[in-house]
Amino acid sequence: MDFATLAPFLVEVVVGGLVLGFVYAIIALGYTMVYGVLQLINFAHSEVFVTGAVVGFEVFRVLKDVSMNGYLKLLIALLSAMVISGALNVLIERLAYRPLRNAPKLVPLITAIGVSLILQDTLRIIEGFQGRFDLTYTLPQGFAGPFCGPNSSCASLGSFLNTIGVRVKVTDIIVILVSLVSLGALNYLVNRTRMGKAIRAVAQDRVTAGLMGIDADRMISATFLIGGALGGISGVLFGMKFGTVNAYSGFDPGIIAFTAAVLGGIGSIPGAVLGGLTLGVIQSLIGAMSVLGGLAGIANLEAVDASYQRIGAFIVLVLILIFKPTGLLGKSNVEKV
């Protein structure tokens, strides 16, 4: 085994896993915030996420030939996706979930699945009318290239990375930076603002919060707005990372992101982030097993391909929940009778 060859490859795999993990984490936050307030699993969130990805595609397509800084185009795509996905999530809550708030828990769960299917086919019809199914992102010039390329201001860093055999794309850095900014903004909003305190109060005890003058319905709508906006951001990042999206692209990342929320502790914001990063790195390592097996000379590992990624993620989830049912950072709730 050549360590000089293996080490840079491992670094590249871990970086790729962190990039994927941040995407999962942003999606998972939408699940965990809604669950924290309503104890509802919003399965339609995966389609809210895809809506953001479609909006991002349309913005980049429209601005393709416009003479404008690429990062300004990215900002417009992110803001547009946040607004539309956030508004869509609020509309879903108002029309589909609010009338069922006092119904048995199974009823809104089935409704969420129904809303998910409706949104899938709606997106398919909208794009189908324009003769499109698989939407391929047209990124601004330079976004698809290597981080710190030869003509950039940090060319020396890029040269060093190439020397040690580590390849990092500009889109990878964008995904990480946008995710960190989003997480920082969410942390500030939830923990440092009056709205955040009100949302946490409603999550803890909706009735008591109402007696204290907090408009619970407004705070629940705000939670859906924030979760939808995060879904829009993750949709654009997903499209930039993988290049192609369609109306059904939300299923796999949605399931993995929900798994990440459960893994970290459903209802816990730090848990959703930790769960997303953990599953991202695990999936990246499993996907690279065949190459690692070849580099290390282990024949059994060479037979492992990327199709085992989801299996590995769910095995880790099951093992953790066996020993810690509340997830990595979740807290047990004891109901008083």
Side-chain angles (χ1 to χ4, degrees), residues 95-113:
L95 297 180
Y97 298 152
R98 188 175 297 184
L100 303 174
R101 195 169 291 170
N102 297 319
K105 291 186 178 181
L106 185 60
V107 175
L109 182 64
I110 295 174
T111 302
I113 296 174

Side-chain angles (χ1 to χ4, degrees), residues 7 19 23 36 46 62 67 81 113 118 140 148 182 196 199 226 239 250 262-263 279 299 313 325:
V19 172
V23 175
S46 57
V62 170
S67 179
I113 296 174
I118 291 172
C148 288
S182 301
I199 290 174
I226 296 167
V262 175
L263 176 64
L279 289 185

Side-chain angles (χ1 to χ4, degrees), residues 219-273:
M219 291 304 103
I220 290 171
S221 293
T223 302
F224 273 83
L225 177 65
I226 296 167
L230 291 171
I233 292 173
S234 59
V236 176
L237 298 182
F238 180 87
M240 293 177 62
K241 170 67 178 173
F242 293 99
T244 302
V245 297
N246 59 51
Y248 304 103
S249 294
F251 181 77
D252 277 358
I255 290 295
I256 297 298
F258 173 67
T259 304
V262 175
L263 176 64
I266 190 74
S268 168
I269 291 177
V273 177

Side-chain angles (χ1 to χ4, degrees), residues 34-278:
V34 169
Y35 185 86
V37 172
L38 284 180
Q39 283 71 55
L40 167 70
I41 300 172
N42 180 21
F43 281 119
H45 185 68
S46 57
E47 276 57 56
V48 173
F49 145 75
V50 171
T51 299
V54 172
V55 171
F57 163 80
E58 293 292 350
V59 171
F60 283 127
R61 183 182 65 82
V62 170
L63 298 179
K64 176 183 177 181
D65 298 321
V66 177
S67 179
M68 183 186 298
N69 183 279
Y71 292 99
L72 182 57
K73 293 181 181 179
L74 172 62
L75 180 61
I76 294 173
L78 289 171
L79 291 176
S80 300
M82 289 173 64
V83 170
I84 293 178
S85 293
L88 175 62
N89 217 27
V90 171
L91 186 64
I92 291 171
E93 188 275 330
R94 184 65 184 87
L95 297 180
Y97 298 152
R98 188 175 297 184
L100 303 174
R101 195 169 291 170
N102 297 319
K105 291 186 178 181
L106 185 60
V107 175
L109 182 64
I110 295 174
T111 302
I113 296 174
V115 171
S116 174
L117 295 174
I118 291 172
L119 291 177
Q120 278 185 3
D121 285 333
T122 301
L123 286 172
R124 181 180 61 84
I125 291 171
I126 292 174
E127 292 299 329
F129 278 144
Q130 303 178 62
R132 295 192 293 263
F133 181 75
D134 289 322
L135 311 178
T136 302
Y137 265 56
T138 305
L139 296 178
Q141 186 177 5
F143 276 29
F147 174 61
C148 288
N151 297 322
S152 65
S153 58
C154 58
S156 57
L157 175 58
S159 177
F160 170 73
L161 292 175
N162 287 330
T163 301
I164 64 175
V166 175
R167 294 168 295 178
V168 180
K169 294 181 179 180
V170 173
T171 49
D172 294 336
I173 303 300
I174 290 175
V175 169
I176 292 175
L177 291 179
V178 171
S179 299
L180 289 175
V181 171
S182 301
L183 294 173
L186 178 65
N187 180 69
Y188 177 82
L189 176 65
V190 171
N191 295 305
R192 300 288 183 181
T193 66
R194 292 183 64 184
M195 177 183 288
K197 293 177 181 178
I199 290 174
R200 285 186 286 129
V202 171
Q204 186 172 0
D205 191 325
R206 193 190 313 165
V207 175
T208 303
L211 294 175
M212 295 296 172
I214 297 173
D215 188 338
D217 287 339
R218 186 179 177 186
M219 291 304 103
I220 290 171
S221 293
T223 302
F224 273 83
L225 177 65
I226 296 167
L230 291 171
I233 292 173
S234 59
V236 176
L237 298 182
F238 180 87
M240 293 177 62
K241 170 67 178 173
F242 293 99
T244 302
V245 297
N246 59 51
Y248 304 103
S249 294
F251 181 77
D252 277 358
I255 290 295
I256 297 298
F258 173 67
T259 304
V262 175
L263 176 64
I266 190 74
S268 168
I269 291 177
V273 177
L274 178 60
L277 294 176
T278 301

